[in-house]
Amino acid sequence: MRKNIKTTEAIFPMPVLMVATYNEDGSVDVMNAAWGTMLSRNQVILNLTQTHKTVKNIKERKAFTVSIADSKHVVEADYFGIVSGNNTPNKFENSKLTTIKSENVDAPIINEFPICFECEFIEYQSDEYGCGVIGKVVNVTADEKVMNGENVDISLVDAIAFDPYTHGYYKVTERVGNAFKDGFQLK
């Protein structure tokens, strides 16, 4: 038997994405965004309201980065989601994480997160069904520690996902199948 539940924002897993920009003064701003995904092969979409400091920076700088959070940095990732850059200008400094400047866009890359998408701002959609920030991915970097030869090994990334049912974070590490292959068993 099935039971009705009260939440509608319950797709799991939801990624834990760190969206990073530069502020007007060149300092680093980062926010935690669970509502984001790939829109196409080279575009990301982030459902973010215009009230976020990060969105203001994205529009101003025309660039941002999106990093995949890992379990080693769950405290910092959560902090970036509960503290607003509008109220705490030194939010990133408080985390003790470090950055380098992207060579491809006017945005910071957070060194401690294993995968980073460097994005050019395309547009902000704000109508009734608007999705927020859309960006073009111009480069992706991965820490060598999560690489297996030329490929990223997701089990080494130790990515975390957000659970909207209980507000927990979960590790995404174990491979359980092969896409575009296992289903052929039913043909």
Side-chain angles (χ1 to χ4, degrees), residues 19-29 54 56-66 99-109 116-121 136 138-139:
V19 183
T21 62
Y22 286 121
N23 292 312
E24 317 78 47
D25 64 0
S27 62
V28 175
D29 173 70
T54 306
K56 293 173 188 170
N57 291 342
I58 289 170
K59 288 179 170 183
E60 180 69 27
R61 297 281 186 153
K62 307 292 186 218
F64 59 100
T65 58
V66 178
T99 64
I100 58 170
K101 185 179 182 337
S102 164
E103 294 179 11
N104 301 289
V105 297
D106 186 17
I109 295 172
C116 181
F117 299 81
E118 300 166 61
C119 303
E120 293 174 349
F121 175 61
K136 177 182 177 185
V138 296
N139 192 48

Side-chain angles (χ1 to χ4, degrees), residues 37-46 55 57-66 105 118-126 131-138:
T37 191
M38 298 301 298
L39 179 61
S40 67
R41 288 191 179 274
N42 70 341
Q43 293 180 340
V44 296
I45 189 160
L46 306 168
V55 172
N57 291 342
I58 289 170
K59 288 179 170 183
E60 180 69 27
R61 297 281 186 153
K62 307 292 186 218
F64 59 100
T65 58
V66 178
V105 297
E118 300 166 61
C119 303
E120 293 174 349
F121 175 61
I122 294 175
E123 72 175 283
Y124 185 87
Q125 295 181 350
S126 61
C131 300
V133 174
I134 299 174
K136 177 182 177 185
V137 179
V138 296

